[in-house]
């Protein structure tokens, strides 16, 4: 890292759907943050479409200089299944046709980009993952020293004390590649896990969307357009046109825009069996009744409460700073 640049270097790994786009926009707009690279993985859409979306979003923000590398098309033990167009649209960004950016996908894979940047920003790089953990597991297996070079990891994934959103117990990012999630959660590094327990409590509604659409920031307007599709999906869940802020909450927590208030460090295990619990994040939250207690040796903090709602802060940032 340059000695004069005190901004936090952040690497984002994502499956660029709609809330991933909000996370990307947040990291671009957040003061003191230097987004140094983005890797893509299949999830909401294919890794290649996610890379295209990311390049186009960066171009809208005038940030074509951020390298975007494509990662795994298939998950560790399963071929990509086509994504979730009913949630994120046919192209991952709600069917919105983004202006085609001039940027091209990097000539290296997402894992190679991450490994390279972890050396360039050794001890400083903050890793934020908001998709399946396939790329990160591949990188750890190729070079276990990654865990020592990265400062910390913030993961949107899992469900600790609430139901899953793909199966009764599994959250989508973990469900899509439980084997990769297991590798990442077992590695020797500091993790902040941002599960459905908190992401579902942070939402946007039509008044927020109106602010995005009414702004003079092109990226904010595009995000407002995308949210139309995302809100449709959430009507049955929330009973109104709104959406959960899964990925931007992880981004905000990673860089200190939202601060966890209840986040005990505990053992977390991923169910990798083929049974009904596949993809479950089993968080050992015993002994927490009287308040958060860290388990000796545990390096995964499970976020169960935060200091403020993300929505107003996110909209303020996106409509003024992009
Ligand atoms: C997660 O799954 C994806 O659909 C979202 O982008 C988010 O990362 C929520 O379970
Ligand atoms: Ca995502």
């Amino acid at each position: 890292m340059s000695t004069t640049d005190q901004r936090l270097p952040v690497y984002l790994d994502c499956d660029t759907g709609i809330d991933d786009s909000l996370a990307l926009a947040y990291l671009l707009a957040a003061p003191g943050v230097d987004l140094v690279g983005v890797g893509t993985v299949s999830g909401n859409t294919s890794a290649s479409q996610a890379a295209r979306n990311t390049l186009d979003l960066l171009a809208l923000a005038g940030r074509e200089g951020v390298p975007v590398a494509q990662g795994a098309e298939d998950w560790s033990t399963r071929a990509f299944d086509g994504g979730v167009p009913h949630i994120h649209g046919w192209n991952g960004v709600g069917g919105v046709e983004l202006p085609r950016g001039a940027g091209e996908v990097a000539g290296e894979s997402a894992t190679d980009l991450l490994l390279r940047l972890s050396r360039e920003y050794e001890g400083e790089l903050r890793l934020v993952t908001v998709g399946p953990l396939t790329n990160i597991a591949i990188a750890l297996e190729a070079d276990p020293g990654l865990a020592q070079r990265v400062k910390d990891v913030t993961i949107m994934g899992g469900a600790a004390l609430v139901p899953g959103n793909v199966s009764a117990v599994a959250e989508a990012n973990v469900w899509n590649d439980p084997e990769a999630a297991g590798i990442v959660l077992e590695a020797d590094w500091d993790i902040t896990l941002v599960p459905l327990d908190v992401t579902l409590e942070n939402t946007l509604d039509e008044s927020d969307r109106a602010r995005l659409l009414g702004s003079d920031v092109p990226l904010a307007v595009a995000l407002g357009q995308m949210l139309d599709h995302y809100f449709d999906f959430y009507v049955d869940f929330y009973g109104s046109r709104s959406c959960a802020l899964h990925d931007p909450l992880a981004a905000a927590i990673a860089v200190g825009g939202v601060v966890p208030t209840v986040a005990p460090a505990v053992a977390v295990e991923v169910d990798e069996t083929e049974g009904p619990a596949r993809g479950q994040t089993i968080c050992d939250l015993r002994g927490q009744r009287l308040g958060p207690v860290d388990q000796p040796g545990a390096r995964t903090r499970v976020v169960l409460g935060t200091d403020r709602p993300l929505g107003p802060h996110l909209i303020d940032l996106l409509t003024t700073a992009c």
Side-chain angles (χ1 to χ4, degrees), residues 15 19-20 44 130-131 173 247:
D15 54 335
D19 61 326
D20 304 74
N44 295 324
V130 295
N173 290 337
D247 295 350

Side-chain angles (χ1 to χ4, degrees), residues 14-21 43-45 84 87-88 129-132 156-158 164-166 170-174 176 194-196 199-200 230 234 244-248:
C14 54
D15 54 335
T16 318
I18 297 170
D19 61 326
D20 304 74
S21 302
N44 295 324
T45 188
V84 282
I87 305 175
H88 292 271
T129 76
V130 295
M156 189 283 125
N165 60 358
V166 176
E171 178 280 330
N173 290 337
V174 178
N176 280 330
V194 184
L196 294 179
T199 64
L200 289 170
Y230 207 37
Y234 276 105
L245 292 173
H246 305 293
D247 295 350

Side-chain angles (χ1 to χ4, degrees), residues 92-112:
V93 287
V96 174
E97 305 262 11
L98 298 170
R100 172 113 184 175
E104 291 300 334
V105 175
E108 59 192 331
S109 69
T111 53
D112 285 346

Side-chain angles (χ1 to χ4, degrees), residues 156 158-159 162-165 171 194-204 230 233-234 237-238 242-246 249:
M156 189 283 125
V162 299
N165 60 358
E171 178 280 330
V194 184
L196 294 179
D197 305 62
V198 276
T199 64
L200 289 170
E201 302 309 315
N202 285 270
T203 57
L204 294 182
Y230 207 37
F233 169 75
Y234 276 105
F237 185 84
Y238 286 117
S242 50
C243 73
L245 292 173
H246 305 293
L249 184 64

Side-chain angles (χ1 to χ4, degrees), residues 211-278:
R211 284 187 63 196
L212 292 169
L213 291 172
S215 103
D216 56 6
V217 179
L219 180 55
V221 174
L223 291 165
Q225 292 166 345
M226 291 177 206
L227 285 173
D228 189 28
H229 188 91
Y230 207 37
F231 281 10
D232 286 345
F233 169 75
Y234 276 105
V235 167
D236 286 345
F237 185 84
Y238 286 117
S240 63
R241 283 181 53 78
S242 50
C243 73
L245 292 173
H246 305 293
D247 295 350
L249 184 64
I253 287 174
V255 301
V258 170
V259 177
T261 50
V262 183
V266 299
V268 179
E269 198 174 334
V270 179
D271 189 301
E272 297 173 30
T273 65
E274 294 296 337
R278 181 169 172 78

